Amino acid sequence: MSVRYVESSRLPTAWGVFDIHGFEDPDTNKEHVVLTMGDVGDGEPVLARIHSECLTGDALFSLRCDCGNQLEAALKAISVVGRGALFYLRQEGRGIGLLNKIKAYKLQDAGADTVEANEQLGFGADMRDYTILGPMLRHLHIARVLLMTNNPRKVLAMEENGVEVVERLALHTDSNPHNEKYLLTKGAKMGHLFAAD
């Protein structure tokens, strides 16, 4: 895996001061970051979240998804316990990219769900590659996690990267009229689990 560490610095946020660790993937020209708080490499289970970039939800406050709310909830949860890691992966639109996501939005406006829209554009339902996590996890010496996710693929991703998922923690956010179909599709077609194990 070609993902490599570049640099770290402090990052003050509304939820406290994190350390931000930068990584680059020369194969894709993508840059990824991990936000950590406290000592995450001491062998104890680390509260963690794998979060894929969502410009529309994370930065532009879109109500079409729950991404921004999940990002904020994860950062808040880490700050409450004072220790954790958030992996922010540059895999917009489940890996299809921002402009293709906008095309998918147009298809959703015409009645398609999120999976159907991706497939109509010639993509798989979820094109994200979680093997890129390996070098980041090894660099931070993270071996055991309490994983905040509703997505069973992310549990598998951690395990495939040699990390023990001690517990999956459901990440609840409020629905709204704009994202109800999106959330239903995640449960029905993508196997997302909205309750704790």
Side-chain angles (χ1 to χ4, degrees):
M1 177 55 59
S2 60
V3 173
R4 60 186 181 223
Y5 169 72
V6 177
E7 189 56 275
S8 299
S9 181
R10 292 173 64 253
L11 186 71
T13 75
W15 302 277
V17 179
F18 288 79
D19 290 313
I20 184 168
H21 311 274
F23 297 83
E24 63 182 0
D25 184 347
D27 291 342
T28 62
N29 291 319
K30 296 276 180 75
E31 298 167 333
H32 310 280
V33 297
V34 184
L35 299 184
T36 64
M37 182 178 282
D39 184 357
V40 297
D42 63 2
E44 292 299 311
V46 175
L47 186 62
R49 168 147 180 87
I50 303 167
H51 190 90
S52 296
E53 177 183 32
C54 177
L55 178 72
T56 50
D58 296 343
L60 301 178
F61 315 108
S62 169
L63 297 177
R64 295 184 80 130
C65 64
D66 59 345
C67 302
N69 291 336
Q70 286 191 331
L71 177 62
E72 291 188 20
L75 291 172
K76 182 178 180 180
I78 290 169
S79 72
V80 167
V81 299
R83 182 173 173 275
L86 184 135
F87 296 81
Y88 195 90
L89 308 181
R90 306 292 299 280
Q91 301 193 108
E92 182 78 47
R94 294 191 185 131
I96 68 173
L98 178 60
L99 298 184
N100 282 321
K101 184 168 82 168
I102 294 171
K103 293 177 184 177
Y105 278 172
K106 183 70 171 179
L107 293 170
Q108 291 166 41
D109 291 341
D113 64 33
T114 53
V115 169
E116 293 164 347
N118 275 23
E119 291 173 344
Q120 286 174 31
L121 290 171
F123 298 107
D126 191 338
M127 303 290 291
R128 290 174 290 186
D129 174 13
Y130 294 118
T131 61
I132 60 175
L133 287 167
M136 302 177 205
L137 290 159
R138 288 189 291 276
H139 177 80
L140 296 166
H141 305 289
I142 294 175
R144 304 170 70 210
V145 295
L146 306 167
L147 190 61
M148 294 181 281
T149 188
N150 303 325
N151 186 346
R153 277 195 67 210
K154 293 181 180 179
V155 174
L156 183 61
M158 282 291 190
E159 292 170 344
E160 288 177 341
N161 280 288
V163 173
E164 178 188 355
V165 178
V166 176
E167 185 178 359
R168 182 189 70 84
L169 305 170
L171 198 55
H172 299 288
T173 59
D174 293 331
S175 64
N176 66 68
H178 305 284
N179 72 10
E180 286 176 343
K181 185 175 180 180
Y182 166 85
L183 293 173
L184 288 171
T185 301
K186 288 207 307 191
K189 291 190 175 181
M190 305 192 76
H192 284 218
L193 308 166
F194 295 101
D197 289 335

